[in-house]
Amino acid sequence: MATKPQQKMDARFIAIKVLLRVLKNGESLSSAIPNEISNLDERERPLLQALVYGVLRWRWQLESILKKYLKKALKAKDLDINIILMLGVFQLLWLRTPDYAAVDGAVNSSLKIRKKWAKALINAVLRQLIRERDEINYKDTLEAEFSHPQWLIDKIKYDWPEQWQQILSEANQAAPMTLRLDTRQMEVADYNELLNEVELDAEVAAHVPGALILKQPADVSRLPGFEQGLVSVQDAAAQCAAPLLQLAPQQKVLDACAAPGGKSAHILQTEPALELDAVDISESRLQRVAENLQRLGQQANLICADISQPEQWWQGQQYDRILLDAPCSASGVIRRHPDIKSLRRESDIAELVATQQQILDVLWPMLKPGGLMLYATCSIFRVENEQQMQHFLQRMTDAEEIKIAAGWGHEQKVGRQILSGEQQMDGFYYALVRKSI
Amino acid sequence: MAILPILEFPDDRLRTVARPVEVVDDQIRAVLDDMLQTMYDAPGIGLAATQVNIHQRLIVIDVSEEKNQPLYLVNPEIVGLQGIEEMDEGCLSVPGIYETVQRADRITIKALGYDGNVFTLDAEELLAVCIQHEIDHLDGKLFVDYLSPLKRNRIKKKLEKQRKQAAS
C-alpha cells in the first residue's frame, strides 16, 4: 500500500503533531517542538508557537466551548480530531484568524490524517461557533474560567486562599523574556542604552540587580554582546539564587541538579575564583550547561550522575556552599510551560516531595560546618517549600535558617516565596540554611 | 538484498491467489528482506509478495514515520473485524492513484513472524487498513476493485497513457 505524498508542512498541521506528542504521549513541549519543527518553514515558526502554547494554555476553556457544540464526546482514539477542533476554536476566538482560513485549515487537517469522516463534524461545529461567537459563555465552570485542571485550582486555592485567583490568571499570561547582565562588565543603565540602540525596550527589575525585562521577546542574536557572554537569558526569580549564597574566592561550591546551567553560570559570574561542581542526571541536559558555560568563558566540573547516589560521584570533600534547585512540580512556571497543566498529575506531588526530602538528606552531610545551603524550587506549593524546609529543620539539629531579606517575594515561616507573575517574576521559593560549627 | 520489480495494474499476475508458506526458513527470510527493501525504496508502507510476482503468502509493512518498525506477516489470517473506517488508499501496483476505500478500522490477525513463530496482533486505523489491503493482494484482489467499474476503467486508461508516455 502507498499513501499520498506529504504536502509541504504548514504550522497548523505541525501543531497537531506537537500537541499529540504532549497530550497523547505525555512528552514535554520543550522536547515535542524540536522533534517536529524541522519539517517547518522558518517563517511559520512563530505561528506554530502561538498555536501550541495557546491551545495548552486555554485548553480548559476550549474544551468547555467544544462541549457545547459536540453532541457526544469524541472517543479517546479521536484525540487528533479533538485537537483539530481546539486549534480551530483557538484561531477563531483568540487569534482572529479569518473564518474561512480557520475552518478550511481544520477540515484539511482531518483529511491529512486520513479521517475524512470528521469533515462534516468539523465544518458543523466551527460554523455554528462562528454564528454564535458573540454569545458564548465559556466561563461556566472554575476549570473553564481559569483554564486549569480542577485539582490544580483546588491545590492553589488551598495554599493561597487570598491570592489564588491572581496566581491562576498570571499563570495564563505569557512570561516576559528577562536578561541577566554581567554587571562586572557593564552597568545596567549603560546596557539599557545599548538595547535602545537596537530598538529593544527593557525595564530594569526593581529588586534584582542586573535583571532587565524586555518589553517584547527578541531573538538572542539581536542582543548586544550575547555571543561574548555579556548577557544571558534568565528569569529574574532565578537570578535571586547566586547573590544569596554569599560567594567568596576559593570556596568549593556544589550546584546539584544544575541543568540547563543558568544558576551555575551566575555563580561563576558573581565569583569566578571558586571551584564549582555542577551535577545533573541527564547527559543531554548537561550538554546545555557545557554550552552555556562555554559562551561565558567559564569553567566548572560537570558531573553526570544521580545526585542522590553520592558514592557514584562524590570525592568526599565537603562543600562551602550547596545550591539545591530541586526537582519539583514546576507549578510556579506554568506561564512559561503551559504543558505542565496537562502533564502533571496530582499524584506526582507526594513523589516529588519524597525525592526532595531524600536529596536534602543526602546533601546535608556534604556541607562543611559553617557552610550554607540554598534550597530552591520553581513551585508555589507549600508541601514542596515551606513545609519541606520546616521538616528539614526539625530533622537536622545542626541546621539553622538564615532569614532572607529582599524586596521580592513573601516571607514564609521558613524561606521566602515569590508567587507567579509578581514583579513579572516566575513563581519561586528559596530557603537558606547554615550548618552549625 | 535486492530491489524487485513491482507488477502494475491491470497485470493478470496480480490476480493470482498466493499459496501458504510451509516453513519460514532462510530462503523465505531472504524474500522478506528483499520485499522490505523494495517497499522502502518505492516508497510504500506495505507490500505483498504477489506484487513482486512471488505467489506465497508473505507481507511486509511499516507504517512508522521514521521507517524503523518493519512488520513481517507470513500466512496472515484475519480473526476479528470491527468498526468502519474510510481512508484514501494508494497502491504501489496502481501508481499515483489515491481513492477512498471503506474497511474495518480495528482488526485482529494471526500470522507467523520473521522467526516463524505464530503471533496475534490487534491493529487499528492506518495499520489495520494497510493489513487488509495487503491480504487482499494475496487473494488476488486490488483496492480498485472496491471502486465503481467506471472509475476503475478510467484509472486503467490513465495508467496505460502514463506508461505509453514513459515508453516514448
Side-chain angles (χ1 to χ4, degrees):
Chain A
M1 181 169 155
T3 50
K4 238 181 206 168
Q6 291 280 0
Q7 288 128 348
K8 210 178 137 359
M9 294 294 179
D10 65 303
R12 288 181 182 91
F13 190 62
I14 299 280
I16 300 169
K17 299 176 97 184
V18 169
L19 290 168
L20 271 173
R21 278 179 183 266
V22 175
L23 298 176
K24 189 174 169 190
N25 306 348
E27 226 176 287
S28 76
L29 205 44
S30 51
S31 113
I33 290 180
N35 277 330
E36 294 290 348
I37 207 164
S38 56
N39 294 324
L40 187 66
D41 194 282
E42 194 83 39
R43 281 163 304 177
E44 292 255 314
R45 290 187 185 186
L47 177 58
L48 175 73
Q49 296 264 347
L51 291 172
V52 298
Y53 276 82
V55 165
L56 289 171
R57 202 165 265 148
W58 300 109
R59 180 180 159 197
W60 288 266
Q61 256 176 42
L62 294 165
E63 282 178 345
S64 136
I65 295 170
L66 282 173
K67 208 189 260 176
K68 295 181 179 52
Y69 292 98
L70 285 169
K71 284 189 193 74
K72 53 179 185 183
L74 290 163
K75 293 179 195 144
K77 72 172 177 107
D78 295 322
L79 177 62
D80 43 12
I81 298 298
N82 205 3
I83 288 171
I84 290 173
L85 285 169
M86 286 199 283
L87 281 163
V89 178
F90 180 69
Q91 290 174 72
L92 287 172
L93 299 186
W94 272 262
L95 296 187
R96 293 279 163 185
T97 306
D99 295 351
Y100 69 87
V103 178
D104 248 40
V107 168
N108 282 334
S109 297
S110 73
L111 300 183
K112 276 192 207 162
I113 58 164
R114 302 184 197 88
K115 289 196 174 179
K116 210 173 185 175
W117 60 265
K119 193 174 153 180
L121 174 81
I122 292 169
N123 253 314
V125 167
L126 294 184
R127 290 192 190 282
Q128 195 188 345
L129 178 84
I130 289 169
R131 286 194 298 275
E132 299 173 5
R133 83 170 119 209
D134 297 327
E135 301 140 41
I136 304 165
N137 168 23
Y138 44 79
K139 297 184 175 175
D140 50 357
T141 62
L142 273 186
E143 268 196 325
E145 183 179 353
F146 291 102
S147 197
H148 273 68
Q150 189 63 45
W151 74 268
L152 206 44
I153 297 175
D154 291 342
K155 193 153 181 57
I156 292 172
K157 196 171 171 182
Y158 181 82
D159 274 4
W160 303 100
E162 308 273 314
Q163 299 96 333
W164 65 277
Q165 289 174 307
Q166 180 71 16
I167 292 171
L168 291 170
S169 69
E170 285 288 348
N172 286 333
Q173 304 305 313
M177 179 168 169
T178 304
L179 307 180
R180 184 189 77 233
L181 178 68
D182 184 351
T183 47
R184 287 172 316 152
Q185 295 188 48
M186 194 180 280
E187 299 273 332
V188 168
D190 294 337
Y191 191 75
N192 210 356
E193 264 172 46
L194 283 185
L195 284 175
N196 287 337
E197 278 169 31
V198 295
E199 287 170 7
L200 289 173
D201 209 2
E203 187 185 322
V204 177
H207 301 286
V208 185
L212 291 128
I213 301 161
L214 289 178
K215 293 267 162 65
Q216 289 289 326
D219 195 88
V220 289
S221 61
R222 283 183 64 197
L223 302 173
F226 178 81
E227 280 309 319
Q228 295 74 40
L230 181 58
V231 281
S232 305
V233 178
Q234 189 178 37
D235 189 81
Q239 296 186 38
C240 298
L244 291 173
L245 283 166
Q246 304 174 28
L247 299 165
Q250 316 313 325
Q251 280 176 347
K252 199 170 156 52
V253 181
L254 169 67
D255 183 354
C257 318
K263 297 187 189 72
S264 275
H266 196 192
I267 287 171
L268 288 166
Q269 181 188 300
T270 309
E271 186 44 73
L274 53 70
E275 194 193 330
L276 178 67
D277 287 350
V279 181
D280 202 274
I281 195 163
S282 151
E283 185 79 55
S284 58
R285 281 168 51 81
L286 207 57
Q287 187 54 38
R288 300 240 345 251
V289 183
E291 286 159 16
N292 264 323
L293 295 184
Q294 194 178 8
R295 181 177 60 85
L296 300 167
Q298 295 170 333
Q299 289 286 335
N301 309 315
L302 301 184
I303 303 162
C304 182
D306 179 350
I307 195 80
S308 62
Q309 307 290 322
E311 64 282 1
Q312 287 177 8
W313 62 272
W314 190 46
Q315 311 293 335
Q317 213 186 336
Q318 284 179 316
Y319 295 99
D320 297 287
R321 300 288 183 262
I322 293 176
L323 167 62
L324 170 54
D325 191 358
C328 72
S329 63
S331 53
V333 290
I334 286 172
R335 60 183 196 150
R336 280 189 200 282
H337 306 282
D339 49 331
I340 290 169
K341 292 194 283 190
S342 295
L343 297 177
R344 190 69 65 220
R345 299 277 170 267
E346 189 171 10
S347 54
D348 297 344
I349 309 296
E351 214 168 295
L352 286 162
V353 169
T355 304
Q356 291 152 2
Q357 182 186 328
Q358 188 202 0
I359 299 175
L360 278 164
D361 290 359
V362 166
L363 292 184
W364 188 245
M366 298 182 193
L367 186 66
K368 278 184 196 166
L372 297 177
M373 179 161 83
L374 181 63
Y375 175 78
T377 72
C378 53
S379 167
I380 54 167
F381 295 149
R382 291 181 193 270
V383 280
E384 297 180 275
N385 297 342
E386 178 188 62
Q387 288 164 17
Q388 178 73 269
M389 291 313 284
Q390 278 179 312
H391 293 149
F392 177 77
L393 291 170
Q394 279 161 15
R395 281 198 305 281
M396 305 297 171
T397 48
D398 56 348
E400 57 160 335
E401 190 201 0
I402 299 176
K403 284 282 172 201
I404 299 168
W408 45 261
H410 306 263
E411 187 174 323
Q412 304 294 292
K413 285 180 198 131
V414 177
R416 207 168 177 87
Q417 180 76 55
I418 306 166
L419 296 175
S420 330
E422 282 181 338
Q423 297 174 18
Q424 301 189 59
M425 295 160 95
D426 284 342
F428 243 84
Y429 173 81
Y430 286 109
L432 187 62
V433 287
R434 191 206 320 264
K435 197 176 198 172
S436 54
I437 300 171
Chain B
M1 289 208 278
I3 293 172
L4 310 169
I6 298 174
L7 303 178
E8 288 186 8
F9 175 71
D11 194 312
D12 279 343
R13 288 171 291 181
L14 287 168
R15 299 305 182 180
T16 315
V17 176
R19 293 179 315 274
V21 171
E22 273 165 28
V23 54
V24 183
D25 53 15
D26 285 349
Q27 211 179 336
I28 291 292
R29 276 188 278 273
V31 175
L32 288 168
D33 291 343
D34 286 347
M35 284 171 61
L36 190 72
Q37 200 190 1
T38 305
M39 179 191 82
Y40 283 146
D41 178 72
I45 58 167
L47 184 75
T50 313
Q51 293 174 275
V52 289
N53 202 24
I54 296 172
H55 300 288
Q56 291 184 286
R57 302 191 78 83
L58 301 169
I59 288 171
V60 293
I61 287 176
D62 190 342
V63 295
S64 73
E65 218 158 290
E66 293 78 18
K67 298 291 161 221
N68 57 5
Q69 292 168 40
L71 178 66
Y72 305 91
L73 304 178
V74 179
N75 298 343
E77 271 176 71
I78 294 179
V79 293
L81 289 164
Q82 267 183 304
I84 295 171
E85 174 107 46
E86 275 192 357
M87 226 180 248
D88 277 351
E89 291 185 25
C91 180
L92 297 176
S93 295
V94 194
I97 307 292
Y98 303 93
E99 292 291 343
T100 309
V101 177
Q102 207 179 68
R103 299 189 190 266
D105 83 330
R106 269 164 299 150
I107 62 170
T108 305
I109 58 155
K110 203 170 89 181
L112 305 179
Y114 194 80
D115 52 9
N117 292 331
V118 66
F119 68 98
T120 60
L121 174 75
D122 295 318
E124 56 175 31
E125 298 183 3
L126 182 59
L127 180 59
V129 168
C130 186
I131 292 173
Q132 294 171 76
H133 177 115
E134 302 310 334
I135 291 180
D136 272 356
H137 275 305
L138 301 181
D139 295 331
K141 216 166 167 186
L142 295 167
F143 85 101
V144 291
D145 299 349
Y146 294 98
L147 309 176
S148 69
L150 186 73
K151 238 180 186 171
R152 191 160 53 245
N153 225 4
R154 210 182 293 147
I155 291 169
K156 200 193 300 187
K157 291 237 167 72
K158 198 171 163 189
L159 289 179
E160 274 164 6
K161 200 169 145 195
Q162 275 175 13
R163 272 193 287 272
K164 241 180 248 165
Q165 276 172 348
S168 66

